[in-house]
Amino acid sequence: MLVPRPHLCDVFHRKPCRLQLLCAPAGYGKTSIVHQYLQGIAPPGRVVWVCLGGQVQTLADVRGTLAGALGVAVDELFAFLQAGSLLPEPSSSRASSLPQLTAFTCGSELARDEALKANTFLSTENTRQPGPIHIVFDDVPATMPDDLNHWFDQLLALDNPQLHIFVTCRQRPDWNLPRLMLTGQLLELNARQLALRPDEFEALVEALAPETDAPAREKLWHDSAGWCAGVRLSLVQAQPTPLLGQYLERELLSRLSQEQCEVLIGLAHLSRANADFCEQLWEGQQRGRVFDSLLACEAFLLPIDLQARWYRLVPAVAQALQKHLSGAALNRLRLRACHLLSVQGHVDDAVEHALSADQPEVAANYMERLWLSWILSERHLNKLMDWRERIEPQLLYSSPRLIYLCAKALLFSGRLDEAEECLARLGHFLPMADPARNQRLLANWQALFGTLQALRGQTEPARAHCRAAIECLEAEDWLSVLLCHCILARLAMDTGDLEQAQGLLDQSLELARRQGSHESEVLINADRVRLMMLKGQTSFAQALLRTELDRLTHTQPLPLLGRLLFLRGELLLQQGHLSEAEVVGEAGLLHVRDCCAPFVLNGYLLLAEIASRNHEPQKAHLLLHEAERRMHWGRIDSALYQAAIARQKERMLAREQPAESGKASLARIGGVPDYQDDLTPREVSVLKLLAEGMSVREVGNRLFISENTVKTHAKNINVKLGACRRTQAINSAKAMGILA
C-alpha cells in the first residue's frame, strides 16, 4: 500500500540539486518517495535506477552497471554524463534482457527482483529525448572501498546542470558532501523528515486496518514515531509470527557488530542516551565510541531535543529488542541508569527507571526532586498520572511537596474529587513548628483549593482563596502565584470584567517570563487570545496566536500545540471560514490523541459546531458522543463537560427545529449557551439595540462607537449565529436565549 507524500515530492521540486540524499534506517519509505517523485517529473528525461542492495560493491561493478544502463562504454561514461547530449538508444542485447526498463542491480537476485518490480514505470521510450538524466543509487552500502568513494566524488563534481543523482542509504556516505552543501547542490532528508505525519499515519491505518480503535491508534502512533514499516508490521502483529522482531533481526541486528548489538539492546530499556552517558553506564568498556557508531549507521536512534544532545530508540524498535535482556542484568542496568540520570538533572527519567526496576520507594524519593513547574508540559501530565497508578498511595502522600505535585496533576486532568481528597492530606502536616513554613503551606493549599473551587463553578470561594493565597505566598512559590492570577483572570472574563482580566494576565505573563517558563507563557498567551476575542480584537488575537503557533510547530503530537490549534479554529469560525476551521480543528485533535485533559473537549465542540453549521446534524452529534467518551475515559469530573455538551446540543437543536421550539427547549435547560465563539458583551449590546429597531447610526451614537465599528460587530454577529440577515440573527438569538 503506497501512501502519497506530496509534501516530500514538493521538496525535490522546489530545490533540484545535483545530489538528493535520503539517509534513514530501513522502512522509512526512502525508495517509494523517490519513486513517487520520478513519476511526476516534467520533462521526464531519462531515469536510471541502480539497486545496490546494501551489499559491498566494487568500482568495476558500479561503473559497469551504470554504463550498461546508459548504453555507453565504461571509458566514455563521465564524458557522456558531462556533455549532457542526446541520450543514445540502448543496445539490442540490453533491451531484450530488460524489456521496457532502465532499472539495474548490483545486488542479489532478490534485490534485482524488488528493483524491477518497484520500477516498472521507467520506460525506454524516452531514451533518445534530450532532457535531464536522473540516476538513482538505491540502498547504498554503509562501507565502500576508497576508489569507489573517490569515483562517486568525481561523479558528483561533473559540470552538467541536467544531471540529478538520488541516493538512498542507511549511513551517510564518506563523500565530499560539505562541498556540495556549500555550493547549494545537496538536498538531504533524514529519518525525522521522512517520518510519517499524523495525517499520513491515519491514511495508512485506514487503508490497512480501518477497524483499529482510537486507543490502539494512539499507542501505535506513539510507538512508531512515524516509522512507516513499524506501523505496517504492527498492524499485522496479531498473527502468531513476531514480524517486527524478525524484520529488525534481518534489517538491523544482522548488520551490526557484537558490541553494537549489546549496546543497542541496552538502549532498548533506556529513555535517553548519548555517548558520554554510555561511557559512564558501561564503565571502562569504551561504549561511548560504540554509541557514536550506532548513530552513524542509522540504528533507529532519534534525537530527543533540537540540539541533539540526547537520543532514544524508536519505541516500537525498543519494545521488539527488549526480550534480549532480562533478569538481574537488566535491573542492574536500570538502577545504574537511574542514578546517572538523576545526577544529570533528568529526574523524571530516573523515576521511570526506578519503577521499571520495581523500586517504588526510590521512585517516590526522586519525585520529590521534581520542579513543580515540570508538570506544565502536558506530556508530563500523562506521565505523572501513570506513576500514580504504579506507586502506593502512602508513598505519594509522604511529603507536602509530593501532595502538591499530585494535586496539581489531578486538577489539570479534571479529576476534581481525587484532587480534593489529595489536598486533604496536607492536614496531616499541620501545624508545623516554624510559623513561616506553616503559613506558606496554608497559602499553597489555598492556591490549589481556589483552583478546585473555580473549576467547580464556585466563583466567590475561588476568588477568596486565590486572593488570600497571593497575600502570603513567597517568591519561590511563583507557580502558585501564577496559578492564582490565571484563575482570577478567567473568573473576571466570565463575569465581563475584561480590564481586570487584562491586568492579571499581564502580571502573569511577566512572572512566567522572568522565571523562564516557556510552557507557562504559552498557556497565559492562550488566555490572552481568549480575552482579545472577547474584546473583539480579532487582528491582535490572530497575530499573537500566529506567533505562538510558529514557536510550537512540531511534527510529533504535542498537546500544547493542539490547544492553540483549537483557538485558531475558533477564530476562523468567527470569521466564517468553516472549511479552514475544520481542517485546523482536526489537526488539533491529532495532537491531543494521547492526552486526557478537559481542554480536549474544545476540539470536539468546535468540530460539532462546524458540522451543525454545515447542516450535518448526524456528524455533529457523533462528535459530541465521542467527546463524552473521551471525558469518561479520562475520568474527568462531569462538572467540566456535561453542561458544555448539553448547551452545544441545544445550539444544534435551535438550528434543526423552528425558532419557538428551540426557545422552549432552552427553558428546559436554563442558562445561556457558552460555546467559545459566543457573542462578546459588546456584540450583545449591539444586537439588543438592533433588535429594538435602531439604525446603525443610532446604535453607534448610543454606544459611542463609529458606524463602521457597528457594521463590523453586526457582521461578526451574523457569522457566529449562522445568519445572513439582521432579522435572522435576532430570531436565532431569541431562540438560543441570548435575547429575552
Side-chain angles (χ1 to χ4, degrees), residues 243-437:
L243 295 177
L244 189 56
Q246 291 180 357
Y247 181 86
L248 292 171
E249 289 279 353
R250 173 184 170 180
E251 299 292 340
L252 178 62
L253 296 182
S254 65
R255 300 184 179 215
L256 301 179
S257 68
Q258 183 178 349
E259 280 186 334
Q260 288 176 318
C261 287
E262 289 175 358
V263 171
L264 193 68
I265 289 168
L267 297 178
H269 296 274
L270 303 178
S271 56
R272 63 175 63 227
N274 57 30
D276 290 339
F277 181 79
C278 289
E279 195 69 29
Q280 298 176 63
L281 188 62
W282 287 281
E283 192 173 2
Q285 301 182 52
Q286 297 185 337
R287 292 308 194 232
R289 173 185 55 79
V290 178
F291 179 86
D292 286 335
S293 71
L294 289 171
L295 275 183
C297 68
E298 293 287 346
F300 292 94
L301 287 165
L302 301 180
I304 293 176
D305 48 30
L306 294 177
Q307 295 77 24
R309 294 170 298 190
W310 291 92
Y311 294 82
R312 68 179 176 96
L313 272 177
V314 171
V317 175
Q319 292 165 19
L321 296 179
Q322 285 173 357
K323 63 181 180 181
H324 295 283
L325 183 65
S326 60
L330 175 56
N331 272 351
R332 284 195 300 270
L333 179 74
R334 283 172 169 162
L335 291 175
R336 175 70 175 161
C338 181
H339 170 70
L340 291 174
L341 288 168
S342 66
V343 169
Q344 298 188 36
H346 300 286
V347 182
D348 50 342
D349 291 305
V351 173
E352 190 62 47
H353 287 305
L355 287 173
S356 297
D358 198 23
Q359 297 289 329
E361 298 87 355
V362 176
N365 181 54
Y366 281 126
M367 282 178 66
E368 281 206 75
R369 306 182 193 180
L370 286 170
W371 290 99
L372 294 178
S373 58
W374 170 85
I375 202 175
L376 291 179
S377 177
E378 287 161 296
R379 283 180 174 175
H380 292 166
L381 178 61
N382 284 2
K383 184 180 290 188
L384 185 54
M385 297 306 291
D386 177 62
W387 292 345
R388 289 188 71 256
E389 303 295 328
R390 299 161 64 188
I391 299 178
E392 296 87 346
Q394 62 267 26
L395 292 175
L396 291 175
Y397 301 144
S398 60
S399 74
R401 190 175 183 85
L402 280 176
I403 292 174
Y404 287 143
L405 192 65
C406 292
K408 283 179 180 174
L410 290 165
L411 285 173
F412 295 163
S413 298
R415 293 159 67 166
L416 305 187
D417 290 341
E418 294 174 71
E420 185 172 20
E421 180 185 352
C422 185
L423 283 173
R425 302 277 180 167
L426 284 174
H428 298 163
F429 299 91
L430 292 170
M432 304 187 80
D434 183 350
R437 291 184 63 193

Side-chain angles (χ1 to χ4, degrees), residues 76-138:
E76 299 173 357
L77 180 59
F78 276 2
F80 168 72
L81 292 174
Q82 175 75 39
S85 58
L86 294 180
L87 303 175
E89 186 174 4
S91 65
S92 58
S93 61
R94 175 66 66 184
S96 61
S97 62
L98 292 171
Q100 297 187 349
L101 287 174
T102 53
F104 296 86
T105 176
C106 297
S108 64
E109 290 301 318
L110 177 61
R112 180 192 303 273
D113 293 342
E114 291 176 348
L116 297 180
K117 188 186 301 181
N119 296 287
T120 55
F121 74 93
L122 300 175
S123 170
T124 58
E125 293 178 1
N126 59 8
T127 56
R128 288 174 290 178
Q129 298 177 1
I133 304 175
H134 304 278
I135 303 177
V136 182
F137 294 98
D138 194 18

Side-chain angles (χ1 to χ4, degrees), residues 311-594:
Y311 294 82
R312 68 179 176 96
L313 272 177
V314 171
V317 175
Q319 292 165 19
L321 296 179
Q322 285 173 357
K323 63 181 180 181
H324 295 283
L325 183 65
S326 60
L330 175 56
N331 272 351
R332 284 195 300 270
L333 179 74
R334 283 172 169 162
L335 291 175
R336 175 70 175 161
C338 181
H339 170 70
L340 291 174
L341 288 168
S342 66
V343 169
Q344 298 188 36
H346 300 286
V347 182
D348 50 342
D349 291 305
V351 173
E352 190 62 47
H353 287 305
L355 287 173
S356 297
D358 198 23
Q359 297 289 329
E361 298 87 355
V362 176
N365 181 54
Y366 281 126
M367 282 178 66
E368 281 206 75
R369 306 182 193 180
L370 286 170
W371 290 99
L372 294 178
S373 58
W374 170 85
I375 202 175
L376 291 179
S377 177
E378 287 161 296
R379 283 180 174 175
H380 292 166
L381 178 61
N382 284 2
K383 184 180 290 188
L384 185 54
M385 297 306 291
D386 177 62
W387 292 345
R388 289 188 71 256
E389 303 295 328
R390 299 161 64 188
I391 299 178
E392 296 87 346
Q394 62 267 26
L395 292 175
L396 291 175
Y397 301 144
S398 60
S399 74
R401 190 175 183 85
L402 280 176
I403 292 174
Y404 287 143
L405 192 65
C406 292
K408 283 179 180 174
L410 290 165
L411 285 173
F412 295 163
S413 298
R415 293 159 67 166
L416 305 187
D417 290 341
E418 294 174 71
E420 185 172 20
E421 180 185 352
C422 185
L423 283 173
R425 302 277 180 167
L426 284 174
H428 298 163
F429 299 91
L430 292 170
M432 304 187 80
D434 183 350
R437 291 184 63 193
N438 201 60
Q439 187 177 50
R440 280 189 62 201
L441 182 66
L442 285 171
N444 278 284
W445 173 84
Q446 283 191 294
L448 294 176
F449 196 72
T451 302
L452 174 66
Q453 299 284 65
L455 292 174
R456 283 179 168 163
Q458 298 170 353
T459 303
E460 290 309 316
R463 279 202 185 99
H465 280 295
C466 287
R467 287 170 178 166
I470 291 173
E471 294 296 323
C472 300
L473 290 169
E474 299 182 6
E476 55 197 285
D477 303 314
W478 66 271
L479 192 59
S480 291
V481 174
L482 195 67
L483 189 60
C484 289
H485 281 165
C486 289
I487 290 297
L488 290 172
R490 291 177 187 178
L491 293 176
M493 282 192 276
D494 289 343
T495 57
D497 194 345
L498 304 187
E499 294 308 314
Q500 183 187 24
Q502 181 73 61
L504 288 163
L505 290 177
D506 288 345
Q507 293 178 56
S508 302
L509 188 63
E510 180 182 356
L511 180 57
R513 287 172 174 170
R514 290 187 180 277
Q515 295 295 330
S517 177
H518 172 61
E519 291 84 3
S520 300
E521 185 177 349
V522 174
L523 290 171
I524 294 164
N525 278 332
D527 281 346
R528 292 178 67 214
V529 168
R530 180 76 63 204
L531 178 60
M532 292 171 184
M533 292 168 67
L534 289 173
K535 287 184 171 183
Q537 299 171 340
T538 304
S539 59
F540 289 109
Q542 288 176 323
L544 178 56
L545 193 53
R546 191 179 304 115
T547 299
E548 292 300 334
L549 284 170
D550 290 342
R551 294 169 66 185
L552 282 179
T553 298
H554 204 275
T555 57
Q556 299 299 324
L558 187 65
L560 201 56
L561 180 53
R563 179 177 292 202
L564 295 183
L565 287 172
F566 296 152
L567 271 175
R568 172 67 177 150
E570 291 173 32
L571 276 169
L572 289 168
L573 186 60
Q574 279 191 358
Q575 297 167 324
H577 305 307
L578 299 189
S579 58
E580 294 177 53
E582 185 174 25
V583 170
V584 170
E586 289 173 347
L589 282 183
L590 289 175
H591 280 278
V592 301
R593 60 169 64 247
D594 61 346

